[in-house]
Amino acid sequence: MTSPELEAFAKSISRVLGWAYFLSWSGSFYPQPISNYTRKSTLGLAIDFPTLNVLGFCMYTISTASFLYSPTIQAQYAHRHPEAPETTVRFNDFLFAAHGAVMCIVCYSQFYSWIWGFKVGKTQRASKAVLGIFWGCVVAIIWTILMVRWRGRNGGYDADAWAWIDVIYVLGYVKLITVICKYIPQMWVNYKRKSTVGWSIYPMLMDFAGGWLSLAQLVIDSSLQHDWTGVTGNPVKFGLSNVTIVFDIIFMLQHYVLYRGSDKHLEDEEELATSWDAERERLISERVT
């Protein structure tokens, strides 16, 4: 196989991997909201998870769209990466981010009982730490925009100083930060309950597969450019894959090893608590009448 033929084959493999990871990661958004819908409850799911997900995926959508469709961002990227001027962001990256943003908003909305009518726990509120991370990221984005306006040259269009591409990089880093932080509350909830009831393992299995597929596509794209700055030039995609794989392994250990067999016991307790609440409400209403 000649070099041009090998390169064409590698590009085809890259496209297949890209759409395979898109399908795997995109599919991971559905089991949890479907589980919430069938149970008519969000119990077992930490609200911190979708809270950070909404912010992260909205910012990631803007970031990938900018790399794909903004001539300014593309020109600034090429200026800073002269040896590999073409970004490794692909259309499937943008589609994954946009689809993910929509699904995360849907999942987050399920915590509002006046919208879906689901049972929501009294303690299912975003923690102060997560809210601090959320607003800290927002402040970082605003600060970067102000730095581009104040310290940038030529209105932020000179890539040698503070430039608009720095804002786009920060949006990507926000996504990476939210990925790192969003898994910790759910991991803690599983640990405290000693169970994974109410939380679906299937997104983690799809995440695990998607992480490897995404990483493989990034490696192939960088090798085709004969420059591994394609990896450092797309740190979010590289970081997402590795962080996702690590946390997915932890979640699989919790579900299949550490808390295996505890599901039925916890389900019985929750059913008993639910029936007791219903009986208490019935007795109160009888006393009132």
Side-chain angles (χ1 to χ4, degrees), residues 63-84:
S63 174
T64 52
S66 299
F67 277 114
L68 282 177
Y69 303 116
S70 171
T72 298
I73 301 303
Q74 291 173 346
Q76 292 180 351
Y77 180 90
H79 181 81
R80 293 188 179 183
H81 300 85
E83 296 180 358

Side-chain angles (χ1 to χ4, degrees), residues 136-238:
C137 289
V138 173
V139 169
I141 295 169
I142 296 174
W143 178 83
T144 307
I145 294 173
L146 293 176
M147 290 299 292
V148 172
R149 299 295 298 175
W150 292 341
R151 303 289 297 276
R153 294 198 292 264
N154 191 25
Y157 290 94
D158 187 345
D160 289 323
W162 282 92
W164 291 114
I165 193 173
D166 294 311
V167 176
I168 301 306
Y169 274 135
V170 168
L171 296 183
Y173 289 135
V174 165
K175 168 58 179 169
L176 190 57
I177 291 171
T178 58
V179 168
I180 295 173
C181 298
K182 73 179 183 180
Y183 287 119
I184 296 175
Q186 186 62 56
M187 189 169 57
W188 176 252
V189 168
N190 293 346
Y191 168 75
K192 291 292 290 183
R193 299 170 76 230
K194 296 296 186 293
S195 173
T196 58
V197 170
W199 170 83
S200 178
I201 186 61
Y202 297 112
M204 302 303 108
L205 299 178
M206 294 180 178
D207 264 354
F208 187 71
W212 285 108
L213 293 168
S214 175
L215 191 61
Q217 184 193 33
L218 184 60
V219 169
I220 290 176
D221 287 346
S222 297
S223 65
L224 286 172
Q225 294 180 352
H226 307 290
D227 188 348
W228 292 104
T229 57
V231 174
T232 58
N234 194 356
V236 177
K237 187 172 181 177
F238 180 72

